[in-house]
Amino acid sequence: MLSPMHKTKLERGLERGLFAARWLMAPFYLGLVLALFVLLVVFVEELIYEIPRVVDWNSRVEDVIVLCLSLIDLCLVAGLLLIVAFAGYETFIARMDQVPLEDRPAWLGQVDFAEMKVKLIGSVVAISSVTLLKAFMKLADPDEPPGVDHAKLGWLVGLHLMFLITAVVLVLTDRLKPKP
């Protein structure tokens, strides 16, 4: 390997260009922020549409629980977007030095790519759990048409199990690798 003194202009230019290319990822993170805004709109729409329906005297506890689960689901997805946007930006582009220390989330700057994957799959498992729970709540709903879509329920359970297995494998491989 050549020392920095012996590198050609072409090599130095190529390395600078490759390093600057990391900024091409910035629009992806801005897109996640836009997706977060869209998710906020959906959250507010869900509240506006569903709250009058569940505060009706004829509403059942199951309706309120399904509404709460839907809102929790949206919150989990929003958190997932923030984790990926913040940690991805700090990991792949640059430090967020302009954010005052007291405003920085405690995990920011401490989450590496492996931890980000574990947080991501943990959020996916939680979202899958909420979706599965909502499906089971509909089974108890007397207003739902009779009969259970066993295929759909089977797919939901199967996917949830796959997410769980993936999460366990990611955590185990992360724990087994040597720490520096």
Side-chain angles (χ1 to χ4, degrees):
M1 184 168 160
L2 294 175
S3 70
M5 299 284 291
H6 293 99
K7 286 189 177 185
T8 65
K9 284 184 179 183
L10 177 64
E11 286 176 300
R12 284 191 297 271
L14 180 62
E15 288 175 6
R16 269 186 287 225
L18 286 173
F19 190 67
R22 74 191 190 282
W23 286 100
L24 293 174
M25 290 188 69
F28 290 95
Y29 299 119
L30 287 174
L32 291 179
V33 172
L34 288 174
L36 187 61
F37 179 75
V38 171
L39 207 56
L40 174 63
V41 171
V42 171
F43 185 88
V44 171
E45 283 179 347
E46 184 88 2
L47 280 174
I48 291 170
Y49 174 76
E50 290 294 329
I51 285 187
R53 195 176 70 75
V54 298
V55 295
D56 182 16
W57 289 107
N58 297 325
S59 66
R60 295 178 320 279
V61 173
E62 290 85 7
D63 294 333
V64 177
I65 292 171
V66 168
L67 170 62
C68 292
L69 291 174
S70 295
L71 296 176
I72 290 169
D73 215 6
L74 291 169
C75 284
L76 290 170
V77 173
L80 181 61
L81 286 172
L82 274 181
I83 289 171
V84 173
F86 284 8
Y89 183 88
E90 279 227 332
T91 301
F92 298 113
I93 297 178
R95 291 258 177 235
M96 292 187 187
D97 296 331
Q98 302 304 312
V99 180
L101 199 55
E102 62 271 5
D103 289 340
R104 288 174 66 87
W107 55 266
L108 193 58
Q110 299 174 3
V111 176
D112 63 6
F113 190 66
E115 289 176 55
M116 189 167 60
K117 287 190 303 186
V118 170
K119 285 184 183 299
L120 178 71
I121 194 65
S123 295
V124 170
V125 168
I127 292 164
S128 172
S129 299
V130 169
T131 303
L132 193 55
L133 191 53
K134 286 192 315 193
F136 281 124
M137 293 296 294
K138 286 185 179 182
L139 292 177
D141 189 352
D143 292 337
E144 286 289 314
V148 175
D149 187 351
H150 293 287
K152 181 179 177 182
L153 208 52
W155 277 106
L156 287 173
V157 170
L159 283 171
H160 182 68
L161 288 173
M162 288 307 300
F163 291 144
L164 277 173
I165 291 167
T166 302
V168 169
V169 168
L170 274 175
V171 169
L172 287 176
T173 55
D174 191 47
R175 296 262 155 91
L176 293 175
K177 73 178 183 185
K179 301 290 181 204

